[in-house]
């Protein structure tokens, strides 16, 4: 059995205080390590370490004020913390400043060895409210001997292309740090269930608690069933995800009924998709064969390597998925 035990911390930053937000994050990670020694991966909400404020308190210049390179001072501290605790960390997201002056909303994944193994720039910022530059590639990474994880951030989940592409790249779990302060959170929960069910993946959607967000973090299984859902305050969702459930759902169908990837394998190439230039859908390499009922083992790559763009690229490759 392949399992991944996660801690999804529904918490909030200290608005406009990056030092205090870091202290809160660090103490929470150590508390998880001490209280739940079986946990392997910890995730917190979007922009936690950027100390972003609730929507109506936001400062126009805050993004530029706290943005920094990746790797940079904050990711260096995250790497030290991961090594100290022996945990995989997805510490929400940061404002990443590049040499050309562009700022991205960027999530990183850090291994227990203290290494950044994946960097993902939010492809779908919440425009017009969010001013970061959109990224142009989806990213997955491997936890050796366990499985493949895809990264998404908040509003990304409102676009079906996000979960579909991450699943096509072999993701069995989508980790989605979120910072939602508005009443459309109910629709995000609908999207989380739909993304999990239609792509047969786990979705771990971790929103900020009040006062920064409206909470309602959730964990959804590959059949679209909500395993856990938080209220609005600070909470920790601990869950042991059975990644073999992804294989079962893809092989036998959700609830023993629906096998969308088999149908894509049979007919995807014949589809005409004008919005994507007319090309059909390629069978994902992990499907095993271009026929229904084939085995659905995920492709395993080198430990600690992120992959972007095309699942058939080598583990060290960095081909981009452009839009």
């Amino acid at each position: 059995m392949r399992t991944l035990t996660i801690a999804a911390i529904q918490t909030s930053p200290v608005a406009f205080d990056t030092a205090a937000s870091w202290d809160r994050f660090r103490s929470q990670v150590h508390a998880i390590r001490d209280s739940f020694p079986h946990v392997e991966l910890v995730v917190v909400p979007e922009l936690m370490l950027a100390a972003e404020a609730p929507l109506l308190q936001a400062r126009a210049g805050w993004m530029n004020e706290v943005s920094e390179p990746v790797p940079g001072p904050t990711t260096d501290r995250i790497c030290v913390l991961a090594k100290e605790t022996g945990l995989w960390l997805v510490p929400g997201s940061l404002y990443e400043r590049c040499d050309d002056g562009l700022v991205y909303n960027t999530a990183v994944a850090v291994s227990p060895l203290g290494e950044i193994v994946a960097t993902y720039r939010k492809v779908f910022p919440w425009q017009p409210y969010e001013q970061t530059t959109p990224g142009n590639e989806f990213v997955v990474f491997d936890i050796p001997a366990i499985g493949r994880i895809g990264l998404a951030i908040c509003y990304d989940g409102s676009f079906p292309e996000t979960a579909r592409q991450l699943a096509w790249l072999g993701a069995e779990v989508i980790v989605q740090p979120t910072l939602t302060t508005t009443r459309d959170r109910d629709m995000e929960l609908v999207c989380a269930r739909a993304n999990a069910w239609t792509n047969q993946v786990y979705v771990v959607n971790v929103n900020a608690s009040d006062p920064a967000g409206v909470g309602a973090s959730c964990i959804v299984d590959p059949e679209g069933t909500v395993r856990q859902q938080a209220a609005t305050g600070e909470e920790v969702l601990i869950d042991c995800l059975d990644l073999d459930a992804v294989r079962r759902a893809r092989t036998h169908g959700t609830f023993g009924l629906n096998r969308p990837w088999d149908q894509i394998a049979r007919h995807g190439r014949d589809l005409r998709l004008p919005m994507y230039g007319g090309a059909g859908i390629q069978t994902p390499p992990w499907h095993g064969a271009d026929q229904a009922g084939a085995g659905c083992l995920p492709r395993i790559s080198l430990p600690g390597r992120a992959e972007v763009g095309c699942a058939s690229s080598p583990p060290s490759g960095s081909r981009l998925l452009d839009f």
Side-chain angles (χ1 to χ4, degrees), residues 65-262:
E65 187 175 338
V66 299
S67 61
E68 61 180 65
V70 174
T74 297
T75 56
D76 288 348
R77 291 192 291 179
I78 295 166
C79 290
V80 171
L81 179 60
K83 197 168 184 179
E84 283 177 356
T85 58
L87 290 165
W88 289 85
L89 299 179
V90 179
S93 63
L94 307 166
Y95 286 126
E96 177 194 8
R97 183 180 67 253
C98 296
D99 292 339
D100 58 8
L102 296 179
V103 176
Y104 296 90
N105 186 343
T106 299
V108 298
V110 178
S111 78
L113 298 178
E115 299 173 344
I116 298 174
V117 300
T119 301
Y120 167 68
R121 294 169 172 169
K122 188 175 184 180
V123 169
F124 296 109
W126 188 42
Q127 295 178 350
Y129 312 101
E130 188 175 350
Q131 300 303 309
T132 53
T133 301
N136 65 356
E137 61 190 14
F138 293 116
V139 177
V140 299
F141 68 95
D142 290 324
I143 296 181
I146 294 180
R148 178 160 289 187
I149 315 299
L151 294 175
I153 301 173
C154 200
Y155 198 45
D156 286 330
S158 297
F159 296 82
E161 292 82 359
T162 301
R164 179 65 85 196
Q165 184 64 54
L166 290 172
W168 191 92
L169 286 166
E172 297 166 287
V173 181
I174 295 175
V175 174
Q176 185 182 1
T178 298
L179 176 57
T180 296
T181 64
T182 50
R183 293 320 315 167
D184 57 348
R185 178 64 180 160
D186 284 348
M187 293 301 98
E188 293 181 344
L189 298 175
V190 170
C191 289
R193 294 191 67 184
N195 288 334
W197 182 76
T198 56
N199 295 289
Q200 299 167 312
V201 295
Y202 285 96
V203 172
V204 181
N205 182 301
V206 188
N207 194 22
S209 63
D210 55 22
V214 296
S217 297
C218 66
I219 299 173
V220 187
D221 77 8
E223 296 184 281
T225 301
V226 178
R227 292 175 59 85
Q228 298 188 50
Q229 183 173 324
T232 59
E234 190 165 276
E235 294 190 43
V236 180
L237 305 184
I238 305 291
D239 207 344
C240 182
L241 308 184
D242 176 9
L243 300 193
D244 288 334
V246 176
R247 180 185 304 168
R248 288 197 300 272
R250 290 175 177 175
T251 302
H252 302 292
T254 50
F255 301 107
L257 298 170
N258 303 291
R259 292 183 288 272
W261 289 110
D262 284 348

Side-chain angles (χ1 to χ4, degrees), residues 266-281:
R266 281 196 301 270
H267 307 298
R269 290 181 184 273
D270 298 328
L271 288 173
R272 299 276 64 83
L273 303 170
M275 69 181 293
Y276 299 128
I281 301 174

Side-chain angles (χ1 to χ4, degrees), residues 283-298:
T283 301
W286 51 259
H287 187 270
D290 292 346
Q291 59 186 23
C296 298
L297 290 173

